[in-house]
Amino acid sequence: MKYLLLEKLSSAPVIMDPFEYIIVKGFVNTEIKAALLSDFPKIQKPGVFPLSELNYGPAFASFIEELESPQLTEIIQEKFRIDLQNRPILTTVRGWCSKDRDGNIHTDSEWKLVTLLIYLNEEWEPQGGRLRLLRSKNINDFAAEVPPDWGSLIIFKRSDNSYHGHLPFEGERRVVMLNWVTDQEKLKKELERHNFSSLFKKLVPFTIKR
């Protein structure tokens, strides 16, 4: 592995309260930071974008290949005691955060089995934009708070109480998200939904305040 420090994930504990999750700091090799930031997709509007809608360089492509590798999947399924073999992976990217649209408290859809978030920002100073893993639907009732700085990794097993969200933030906030999903049909429908949303935004454009 060139980009990911899998040994850090292998030795990280699974936290059980209030739901099953893992946090790893420094999961991405800092030696390739410049190349990865240079090749990260140029995204200047809010939303989640599948890889098919983005342009990016070879370093980012190799980074995604490692994230989607069987080696990483094997570690995750062992950690969370869940069978992820032959489960499709939905990979999406965010590059811009909206204070009005992003960070709302939610649990992931039932067809998402495990969620992985990997952040690729410089050292994070704002109070907003720090993901909180919550004990309830109260944003201040959190078990953990993770700033989205370089190489911070969060993985959690989806459940009916896997609430998460963050305080409002407006601006650049780079994150790659992987979801291991129940079946290919769900993956297909979600990609079709993204494609429709992208088409609609092109027909009805909006601007970002800087």
Side-chain angles (χ1 to χ4, degrees):
M1 289 283 176
K2 179 180 179 181
Y3 296 90
L4 307 180
L5 304 178
L6 293 184
E7 64 276 9
K8 287 194 171 187
L9 176 58
S10 296
S11 61
V14 178
I15 310 301
M16 306 299 291
D17 176 34
F19 50 88
E20 296 180 53
Y21 67 90
I22 299 172
I23 296 174
V24 179
K25 293 288 191 177
F27 185 61
V28 181
N29 188 347
T30 57
E31 294 180 2
I32 49 79
K33 183 176 182 179
L36 191 50
L37 288 179
S38 177
D39 285 359
F40 191 90
K42 302 299 185 287
I43 303 172
Q44 295 185 320
K45 57 184 178 181
V48 179
F49 300 91
L51 297 173
S52 60
E53 294 183 17
L54 300 172
N55 295 314
Y56 46 84
F60 187 79
S62 297
F63 175 68
I64 293 297
E65 185 177 352
E66 288 193 9
L67 284 172
E68 295 179 343
S69 68
Q71 296 97 312
L72 181 58
T73 296
E74 288 173 6
I75 295 174
I76 292 172
Q77 70 174 3
E78 181 179 344
K79 288 284 188 180
F80 290 105
R81 305 175 309 281
I82 183 173
D83 184 6
L84 298 177
Q85 294 299 318
N86 301 316
R87 298 291 193 180
I89 299 175
L90 172 63
T91 302
T92 53
V93 184
R94 285 182 183 269
W96 191 270
C97 188
S98 167
K99 64 180 180 181
D100 299 320
R101 300 175 55 189
D102 298 322
N104 295 326
I105 297 171
H106 67 284
T107 62
D108 288 347
S109 302
E110 291 185 6
W111 53 270
K112 295 180 178 180
L113 303 173
V114 173
T115 294
L116 178 152
L117 299 167
I118 181 76
Y119 295 102
L120 299 174
N121 305 285
E122 302 289 353
E123 185 175 348
W124 194 265
E125 296 182 359
Q127 288 302 307
R130 299 167 181 253
L131 189 71
R132 293 181 175 182
L133 306 181
L134 305 170
R135 295 190 174 92
S136 67
K137 295 181 180 180
N138 181 347
I139 193 64
N140 293 314
D141 184 19
F142 58 94
E145 181 183 69
V146 181
D149 47 20
W150 179 263
S152 291
L153 172 74
I154 302 173
I155 311 175
F156 61 88
K157 188 176 180 181
R158 191 270 168 198
S159 69
D160 290 340
N161 70 317
S162 55
Y163 296 110
H164 54 284
H166 62 74
L167 295 176
F169 173 78
E170 182 89 26
E172 189 172 56
R173 184 176 180 269
R174 294 183 292 265
V175 56
V176 177
M177 180 168 65
L178 273 66
N179 295 109
W180 283 259
V181 305
T182 53
D183 55 68
Q184 196 68 36
E185 187 62 26
K186 288 291 186 182
L187 177 62
K188 179 182 176 182
K189 288 182 179 180
E190 184 67 6
L191 291 174
E192 289 175 347
R193 184 183 71 82
H194 278 292
N195 290 336
F196 176 80
S197 175
S198 177
L199 177 61
F200 178 78
K201 289 174 183 177
K202 289 178 181 178
L203 294 173
V204 187
F206 55 91
T207 59
I208 301 298
K209 293 182 179 179
R210 290 181 177 273

